[in-house]
Amino acid sequence: TQLLEQSPQFLSIQEGENLTVYCNSSSVFSSLQWYRQEPGEGPVLLVTVVTGGEVKKLKRLTFQFGDARKDSSLHITAAQPGDTGLYLCAGRGQNFVFGPGTRLSVLP
Amino acid sequence: EPEVTQTPSHQVTQMGQEVILRCVPISNHLYFYWYRQILGQKVEFLVSFYNNEISEKSEIFDDQFSVERPDGSNFTLKIRSTKLEDSAMYFCASSGWSWGTDTQYFGPGTRLTVL
């Protein structure tokens, strides 16, 4: 069974700080997606990464797919309270699996 | 912007009853999915559907579950005899052209409560 681990599980930071959250697996994924989920709502896609080593930027968010396509990171620069939420990674391997998420809280 | 819609937003049912959860995927999408998320737990894949048949399913998707695309727009998940442990948020998703690297767009979910 392919599993995705995410760290940290919880993160609370002050507005303006930078942060990185991680998504790791021992398995190779053909693609990996990052989502943000608000309570009681469906996941909303942020980015899809496909190529090992790929880096994608979305405003203050930078996503990287590991060279071996087993891991990924999400870096947020100058975090804002609006970034608060649950960040999920999900990967396509044998099946489509989600990580447990990192719950981010950005305090004003 | 096109979006996936789901009805109802909340369904309450008695144990043993049948429920049908409905989804309207994005209109030109070809791949459809159901996921569930038990409260406080991670999102779990249930099933994918393409060309009017199931393309993949997880261990969770047992004989109590079925999916159907009864017309050109709706995609349904049926649970034949609900159990207490079926209580969860159920998310429908759709994607355009491939199972895997293509972007999956999620609906807002149906909260199923089994009493």
Side-chain angles (χ1 to χ4, degrees):
Chain A
T1 304
Q2 293 180 303
L3 291 174
L4 279 169
E5 304 289 337
Q6 289 189 245
S7 60
Q9 188 178 358
F10 299 97
L11 184 58
S12 181
I13 61 170
Q14 293 292 324
E15 181 176 2
E17 291 183 5
N18 301 333
L19 67 112
T20 302
V21 298
Y22 300 92
C23 175
N24 297 288
S25 177
S26 59
S27 305
V28 175
F29 291 91
S30 58
S31 68
L32 198 138
Q33 299 177 339
W34 284 92
Y35 293 85
R36 192 170 114 179
Q37 186 179 23
E38 303 294 339
E41 297 182 13
V44 175
L45 182 78
L46 297 175
V47 78
T48 299
V49 285
V50 178
T51 307
E54 183 177 2
V55 176
K56 280 193 174 177
K57 292 195 174 186
L58 186 66
K59 296 182 182 177
R60 293 177 294 100
L61 279 59
T62 302
F63 304 86
Q64 182 159 12
F65 201 13
D67 291 341
R69 290 184 289 134
K70 293 183 180 181
D71 55 85
S72 181
S73 63
L74 158 59
H75 181 79
I76 302 179
T77 304
Q80 298 175 1
D83 295 327
T84 294
L86 180 67
Y87 289 83
L88 302 168
C89 65
R92 169 60 170 154
Q94 294 174 329
N95 215 324
F96 199 72
V97 296
F98 274 81
T102 291
R103 188 164 296 284
L104 172 65
S105 177
V106 182
L107 306 173
Chain B
E1 186 175 324
E3 57 183 18
V4 177
T5 59
Q6 291 185 242
T7 54
S9 57
H10 192 183
Q11 173 92 44
V12 181
T13 189
Q14 294 288 329
M15 190 170 59
Q17 295 295 305
E18 174 184 286
V19 294
I20 297 176
L21 309 183
R22 291 183 166 77
C23 169
V24 178
I26 294 173
S27 63
N28 61 348
H29 280 184
L30 302 175
Y31 290 80
F32 314 113
Y33 317 87
W34 282 102
Y35 294 83
R36 80 170 184 194
Q37 186 175 32
I38 295 170
L39 185 64
Q41 297 186 25
K42 61 172 129 178
V43 177
E44 300 172 292
F45 168 77
L46 293 178
V47 66
S48 62
F49 192 86
Y50 170 71
N51 200 26
N52 285 318
E53 59 184 27
I54 291 173
S55 48
E56 291 190 50
K57 60 182 180 179
S58 71
E59 297 169 349
I60 303 167
F61 194 87
D62 61 22
D63 292 343
Q64 291 298 311
F65 292 89
S66 62
V67 290
E68 197 176 34
R69 189 156 161 80
D71 53 45
S73 60
N74 290 284
F75 179 50
T76 62
L77 174 69
K78 182 192 290 185
I79 309 175
R80 288 192 184 82
S81 177
T82 50
K83 309 185 192 84
L84 295 176
E85 54 265 37
D86 293 328
S87 293
M89 282 288 284
Y90 287 81
F91 295 107
C92 172
S94 69
S95 65
W97 52 269
S98 76
W99 167 220
T101 59
D102 192 27
T103 298
Q104 292 187 33
Y105 293 88
F106 282 75
T110 292
R111 181 173 297 283
L112 176 65
T113 301
V114 182
L115 303 176

